[in-house]
Amino acid sequence: MRDIVLISDPRVAAIPVEESGERLVDVRGRLRVDERMADPGGAFAHLRQGLVARLEEAQRRLPEGYRLLIVEGYRPPATQQQIFTEYSAELRATFPEMSPEEIVAAASRYVSPVEVAPHTAGAAVDLTLCTEDGVELDMGSPLNATPEQSEGACYTAAPGISPQARRNREVMGAALDAAGLVNYPTEWWHWSYGDRYWAMTTGAPSALYGPRAI
């Protein structure tokens, strides 16, 4: 696998944000949405307007019979911090030899530090593919599986997954990439637009979206 820049890298945090002011919009009724990560207020189904438009474009680019399945979009900062803290604790228990800096880097393979987290800006979406009937397709690992749980199969370019899972990842990735989104390479399901990681990947001078409340 190619070298991966983690979202905890100082180069990501150094990218400025020039907030566009775009509103968060509900994707329900516009794209297919799964309820497994639903919160009582429905925040999970909200994304920045520009990202939603690009997801709709990606849906149009998919071959016949394929559908994007949105699992989680916006995430409140407190929730993001809780996930990061809990996973960091798991890593410390499993790898006591790791330094605090190594724990942060290792944790960021799966969840972003809150200060750079694209989900808190409504700029990132966790998604997969399904059929027109809503049957999820084989993507090589469960969505939201950690590197430890999946034995590395969560990495987008992971070797060892089935040819069909590889094909499904390529189909989804081609549509999303053509619509202007970027993937976080440690999570095949995580794609974003307008955040700091997107800016670093595309060479944009600044991010378009910073943290928002909903």
Side-chain angles (χ1 to χ4, degrees):
M1 289 184 285
R2 64 182 174 82
D3 291 339
I4 292 173
V5 177
L6 295 174
I7 203 164
S8 60
D9 192 295
R11 288 173 290 180
V12 179
I15 293 172
V17 176
E18 294 187 9
E19 174 58 55
S20 71
E22 273 186 23
R23 63 192 183 96
L24 289 161
V25 298
D26 196 330
V27 302
R28 289 171 292 190
R30 297 178 65 169
L31 293 162
R32 186 165 295 197
V33 177
D34 182 272
E35 298 284 330
R36 77 189 73 171
M37 299 300 293
D39 59 287
F44 82 106
H46 286 71
L47 291 165
R48 294 291 189 126
Q49 192 167 5
L51 175 51
V52 175
R54 284 162 176 79
L55 288 170
E56 290 176 325
E57 178 186 345
Q59 176 62 68
R60 292 191 292 270
R61 290 178 176 273
L62 286 174
E64 186 176 354
Y66 288 84
R67 292 289 181 270
L68 296 177
L69 183 64
I70 309 300
V71 175
E72 187 177 20
Y74 177 78
R75 189 182 294 155
T79 302
Q80 183 76 27
Q81 184 61 61
Q82 180 182 358
I83 298 170
F84 190 87
T85 299
E86 290 175 353
Y87 183 48
S88 296
E90 288 180 23
L91 290 171
R92 276 192 297 273
T94 306
F95 306 104
E97 72 280 5
M98 279 188 174
S99 69
E101 293 77 17
E102 290 171 329
I103 291 292
V104 169
S108 71
R109 298 169 304 161
Y110 174 67
V111 57
S112 303
V114 69
E115 59 270 17
V116 292
H119 278 287
T120 66
V125 60
D126 295 339
L127 76 173
T128 187
L129 286 180
C130 66
T131 67
E132 291 183 1
D133 295 330
V135 178
E136 288 186 45
L137 300 181
D138 177 15
M139 303 299 283
S141 83
L143 188 149
N144 278 338
T146 68
E148 293 75 34
Q149 291 166 341
S150 68
E151 298 183 338
C154 60
Y155 282 56
T156 306
I161 64 174
S162 71
Q164 186 59 60
R166 172 69 56 212
R167 172 62 180 160
N168 290 338
R169 290 188 186 190
E170 289 172 351
V171 167
M172 185 173 80
L176 293 166
D177 181 70
L181 282 73
V182 302
N183 173 243
Y184 189 45
T186 63
E187 300 175 333
W188 59 260
W189 57 85
H190 178 105
W191 290 77
S192 66
Y193 170 79
D195 61 304
R196 284 186 168 109
Y197 200 84
W198 165 86
M200 186 208 67
T201 303
T202 62
S206 60
L208 306 176
Y209 308 136
R212 291 293 294 268
I214 190 171

